[in-house]
Amino acid sequence: GMHPHPPVLGLCVAFGRLRRRYACSASGRWALFSSGEPMRESAPSPRLAITIDRLIRKHFFMPSFLDLGVPAPLAAVLASSGKTEPFPIQQDTLPDALAGRDVLGRGRTGSGKTIAFSLPMVARLTGVSRAPGRPTGLVLAPTRELATQIAATLAPLAAAVGLNVTTIFGGVSQKPQEQALRAGVDIVVACPGRLEDLMKQGVIRLDRVQVAVLDEADHMADLGFLPGVTRILGATPTGGQRLLFSA
């Protein structure tokens, strides 16, 4: 079927009202869905909403990142590292994500998910003022290894438009993380446990977050992070953009 498996559905509910667009896959093929209702486990299948225009563009020529609406400075960063042709998950989610819609995406590791959510986040936060301890972008990941990989992909894109990125995870001293936050950070890539610790200590506040991303949401559910993720998202503004990706 087209529905994600139950842990991801649980995260969708925790994610708030994903009102506008969703992306999900079956058998490696991508489709865009539109629904006026929040996703619930009992919800009917969303209506298929692939436009003829997008089908024609997808099957008759390979769109560039610029064609998909990616700002030129960000497309240039990708081109400098040899990335000129968007992967399918990027083709299908970027137009909606760049337009500010909430997106739910499923794809295997290596399918290009990180760039699929990094580009809309950086594009939206370009020019937004920086405040100590109050980031405007948040990415949640289940492990420090994944958080580090995401930050490495995000950093050059962010730097191209004057934004900075820091990682927050356990197993290391929190002092450097505190110092980075106090100096002012735009995008935080975090594991839920250490992030909640810093929230309780008042080192970080999420009241300015405009874009919140959950990566490997299914893995986070498997590891028992769902209650913490729900609390963290509850600390972000309700009107922000939400992007959820899972394997």
Side-chain angles (χ1 to χ4, degrees):
M2 300 299 286
H3 280 301
H5 41 70
V8 179
L9 277 172
L11 280 166
C12 292
V13 175
F15 221 41
R17 289 180 165 267
L18 300 183
R19 297 183 190 84
R20 296 167 284 257
R21 290 268 177 129
Y22 310 96
C24 63
S25 73
S27 306
R29 295 177 65 89
W30 280 81
L32 280 175
F33 294 87
S34 176
S35 170
E37 294 297 318
M39 289 190 76
R40 298 188 182 90
E41 292 195 32
S42 59
S45 296
R47 289 175 292 115
L48 192 61
I50 297 180
T51 63
I52 296 224
D53 173 66
R54 189 170 295 177
L55 277 171
I56 290 171
R57 286 190 288 113
K58 182 174 179 179
H59 291 286
F60 290 95
F61 78 93
M62 175 69 76
S64 68
F65 283 104
L66 290 172
D67 292 330
L68 297 173
V70 174
L74 304 184
V77 171
L78 295 175
S80 70
S81 60
K83 298 180 181 72
T84 56
E85 294 188 351
F87 288 175
I89 191 171
Q90 296 158 3
Q91 291 181 47
D92 285 331
T93 61
L94 279 171
D96 291 305
L98 286 163
R101 298 184 178 99
D102 298 326
V103 170
L104 166 62
R106 296 178 65 199
R108 296 185 185 93
T109 300
S111 62
K113 292 181 290 184
T114 304
I115 286 173
F117 64 72
S118 295
L119 288 169
M121 171 174 278
V122 172
R124 174 158 176 166
L125 301 181
T126 300
V128 175
S129 63
R130 183 180 299 161
R134 298 170 69 200
T136 49
L138 173 66
V139 183
L140 294 176
T143 65
R144 59 188 285 184
E145 292 78 15
L146 182 60
T148 302
Q149 291 169 21
I150 292 169
T153 299
L154 255 172
L157 294 167
V161 294
L163 301 175
N164 63 13
V165 180
T166 198
T167 52
I168 290 177
F169 45 71
V172 296
S173 168
Q174 74 173 44
K175 281 278 189 286
Q177 298 170 2
E178 290 180 41
Q179 290 165 355
L181 288 166
R182 291 199 177 100
V185 65
D186 302 299
I187 299 170
V188 164
V189 184
C191 295
R194 174 59 63 87
L195 178 58
E196 279 208 286
D197 289 344
L198 296 183
M199 289 168 65
K200 289 170 186 170
Q201 295 170 35
V203 175
I204 185 171
R205 289 169 56 194
L206 304 182
D207 61 319
R208 295 183 76 236
V209 170
Q210 296 186 22
V211 185
V213 177
L214 264 65
D215 193 22
E216 292 202 2
D218 51 337
H219 190 192
M220 279 200 277
D222 292 341
L223 292 173
F225 288 146
L226 182 54
V229 167
T230 303
R231 289 190 294 269
I232 289 165
L233 291 176
T236 66
T238 54
Q241 184 178 13
R242 310 285 176 93
L243 307 173
L244 185 153
F245 287 81
S246 71

